[in-house]
Amino acid sequence: MKDLLNRYGLLLTTVFAVLTGFWILVLVVLPNIYLFEHSFKPYLPVAELGGPKDVYSLDNYLTFFRSPIHISVFFWTVIYSAVVTFICFLIAYPLAYYLSKVSARALLPMIFLLLFIPLWVSEVLRSFAWFIILALKGPLNASLLGLGIIEDPVRWITGFRGVIIGLVYTYVLFMLFPLYNAIQSLDTNQIEAAEDLGAPWWRTHWRVILPHAKPGIASGSVMVFMLSAGSILVPTLLASTNSRWFTEIIQQWMFESQDWNTGSAYAFLLLILCTVFVSAVMRVFRVKLSDIAK
Amino acid sequence: MSAGVDLDNVCADFGTFRAVDNVAVNIQPGEFFSFLGPSGCGKTTILRMISGFISPSQGVIRIGGKDMKGQRPNQRPTALIFQNLALFPLMPVWENIAFGLEVRGVDKQKRRARAEELLHLVDLPDAADKAVAQLSGGQKQRVAIARALAVEPQVMLLDEPLSALDLKLRQHMRAELRAIQKRTGVTFIYITHDQGEALAMSDRVGVMSQGKLQQVANPRDIYNNPANGFVASFVGENNIFTGEVQGTEGNLARFATASGTFTARLGPAVTQGMKARLFLRPEHVRLAPGAGGTNSIPVEVTDVAFEGNFISIHARDAGGQVLLAEARNDGATAVPAPGDRLHFTFDGQNAVILTGDTAARDIDA
C-alpha cells in the first residue's frame, strides 16, 4: 500500500482502492451473501414474505438429496468433468513439454500466439462452431467420409460426447499454461542426468519430470475441473437429449421455476461438493494447497 | 572396467560457428585426463559429444574401441557429472544414487544396499535417507559422484564439478576425486578452466583454445615446455617480451626486444627471423644488485607483495614494461623495497620463445 502511495500519489491510490473495493464488495461478495442467505429461505408467494412460513431452513438443500435424478446428474457432471480434466492433461502435457524443453526458443512467440488467438473469440461462438463442426452432416463427418476413414457419418453429439469435446477445447489452455510453467522451471540438466544414467524417455518422465510438474498438474486440473463443472454454455449448446449438466438444473431453478432460493442452494452445493471432491483428490495425490500457490 | 576414449578429428559446428575444431586425442583406459581452457573454448562441447548429447559434425568418437555414432546417452558406458550436479531434489539421497540401478531393473533391496556401499566409498555414511536439500555443497558433490559410480561406468565425465565449492573444500575434493579415480580405476575425463585443478589431478592435460587442442602432455610438460604462446600464457604467470629471433646456437636463440636482447630456449616451430614472444616465469627471475651476464634487465621496483610462502615483486624496466618476479620466502633472499633499483636476471634455459596468440588475462581462474 505504501509502495502504491509513493508511486501514484494519494488521489490515484484512492481511486484504485475504491474501484477494487467496489468490484469485490458490490459485484462479488454482496451478491453471494444475498444468494447464500436466500438459499436457506423457502420460495413463497409475495403475500407470504415475512409471514410465519418465511423462516430459515435446510429444505432447499435437502431438495437435492431427495431427488435421485439431480444426484445422478451431479454425479455424472463430476465424473465427466474429471474425464475432461484428464483428457486436457493428456493433450497439454506433451505440448507443454515440447514447448518448454524441445522447441526452438525463436518459435515460441509464434506458437503461443497461435494458441492464444482462439481465446480472443467469444466462448459462445467457439462452442457454436463446434456444434456446426460436429453436426451429423457437418464438416468433420464430411472430411472423414471423404478420406474414407469412416463409412457412415458418426453421430458426435450424443450422450456426453459433444460436451466433452467442447469442454476440452474450451479449457485445455488452462491446463497447458500451469504445466508449461512447471516443466519450464525444471533444470534441463536433470532430464539429461536421468538419460545419462540410462533411463529410457518414459522413465525420465515418470521419475523426474512428472514429479516436478505435480504442482502445475494440480493447479491446471483444479482449474479445468472447476470450470468444466461450472460451465453452462458448452453443455447448453453441445449436450444431447440424454445428457444433462448440473449447471443446467441450477439454471432451470433460477429461470424456469423462478425459484432463486432453491437455485442458490444448488449453486452452493455445486461449489461445496466440488471443493470437497477436489480436496479429496488432492489428498490422494499428496498435493498441498501451498504447492499450487507456488 | 575402464575403457579408453579416442577422439578422431572430431568437429562440432553450431550453425557457422565451429565450437570444436579437429580435435584428435587418445585417452587411455584408467587415465585421468583433463581438458583445460578458458570458457567458450569448446571443452564442454567435447564432453557433451562423448556423453552423447551432441553429435559431432565430423570425426569419430570411440569408447573402448567401439564407434559411438548413433548411440544415445543412455546407451553409452559413460556417466556425466554436471557442473550444477543435477541431483534429483525430490528423491532422497539413496534413490538418487540408485537411480541408474532402478532404471536397470535391480530390485529395491539390492539398490539400497549398493547405495549404502557407495555412500561409504565417498565417505558419507548415514546420509541415505536425507533429502538432497539438507546436504552441504561438498556432500552433494559426493552424492553426485556416487550416483555416477553406481552405474559402473567405464568412463566418468566431469564438467567443472568443483567450481561451486569454496577454496578449502575444492582442494580437499581434488585429492578425494583423485583417490576415488585410483581406487575404481575408471577413466576420468575432467573439464576445467582452473589450471591448478588440471595440473594437480591429471595424468595428462589437453589445453584448448578456440575449439582447437593446443597441446596434450603431462602436467609438468604443460607447465615447463608449453607448445605455444597460448599454453604458456594460459597456464601460470609470465613475463612476456615481444621481439624477433636473431641467431640460433644449439637449442638457444638470441632474441631482440624493446627491453634488450636476450638468450632463451627456442620453442617448437620457431625459426630465425620470426616475430615471436619470449616467456619467462616469475619464479625463474633472480634479483641481482648489478648487471650480470647476458640476460639482465635493469628495473625499478614498484611494488612488493608478501604472499606468505613467496614474495611477489613488481618492477618496471627502462621501456616502461611491468615485470614480475617471485622470491621464495626462505629468509635467505634479501627482500627489496619499492623504489630500489636492481637487475632482473634469468637463465636462458628457463625462458622460452614461442609463437601464437596469448591468452586473454581476464579469465576467471
Side-chain angles (χ1 to χ4, degrees), chain B residues 226-308:
Chain B
N228 58 36
F230 178 83
V231 176
S233 57
F234 187 73
V235 182
E237 293 286 328
N238 290 281
N239 294 299
I240 302 173
F241 301 91
T242 318
E244 194 183 298
V245 184
Q246 288 192 328
T248 59
E249 312 148 22
N251 72 338
L252 293 179
R254 275 154 38 76
F255 191 70
T257 74
S259 307
T261 300
F262 306 120
T263 306
R265 221 157 20 99
L266 209 51
V270 187
T271 53
Q272 189 165 339
M274 248 179 162
K275 296 244 181 275
R277 289 190 180 88
L278 184 147
F279 293 86
L280 171 65
R281 303 278 188 204
E283 68 267 28
H284 289 141
V285 175
R286 287 190 306 267
L287 311 177
T294 39
N295 295 330
S296 178
I297 315 159
V299 295
E300 185 188 343
V301 175
T302 54
D303 191 24
V304 177
F306 182 72
E307 306 270 0

Side-chain angles (χ1 to χ4, degrees), chain A residues 1-21:
Chain A
M1 203 61 187
K2 209 164 193 180
D3 270 3
L4 219 58
L5 260 177
N6 285 338
R7 194 173 296 177
Y8 298 108
L10 187 63
L11 182 70
L12 268 179
T13 308
T14 315
V15 171
F16 289 155
V18 167
L19 283 178
T20 314

Side-chain angles (χ1 to χ4, degrees), chain B residues 192-210:
Chain B
T192 182
H193 65 256
D194 182 333
Q195 41 163 309
E197 267 174 30
L199 298 181
M201 292 194 288
S202 318
D203 294 318
R204 280 193 302 161
V205 178
V207 181
M208 287 196 68
S209 164
Q210 296 181 336

Side-chain angles (χ1 to χ4, degrees), chain B residues 92 154 266 299 316 322:
Chain B
Q154 295 176 3
L266 209 51
V299 295
R316 197 180 293 122
V322 175

Side-chain angles (χ1 to χ4, degrees), chain A residues 151-213:
Chain A
E151 280 178 17
D152 297 307
V154 176
R155 192 173 288 281
W156 292 105
I157 302 179
T158 177
F160 283 92
R161 231 186 250 170
V163 182
I164 291 173
I165 293 172
L167 286 175
V168 166
Y169 174 74
T170 311
Y171 296 127
V172 70
L173 289 187
F174 290 90
M175 181 69 92
L176 179 72
F177 290 117
L179 269 182
Y180 170 79
N181 278 332
I183 298 177
Q184 208 210 12
S185 69
L186 176 66
D187 176 13
T188 306
N189 280 349
Q190 293 203 5
I191 300 174
E192 291 185 342
E195 191 182 358
D196 188 64
L197 290 166
W201 64 269
W202 58 268
R203 199 186 280 269
T204 306
H205 279 276
W206 182 246
R207 288 287 273 145
V208 178
I209 306 171
L210 270 173
H212 177 86

Side-chain angles (χ1 to χ4, degrees), chain B residues 84 90 135 146 176 184 186 192 253 279 291 325 343:
Chain B
N84 67 358
L90 299 176
L135 303 179
E176 195 96 337
T184 56
V186 174
T192 182
F279 293 86
H343 283 76

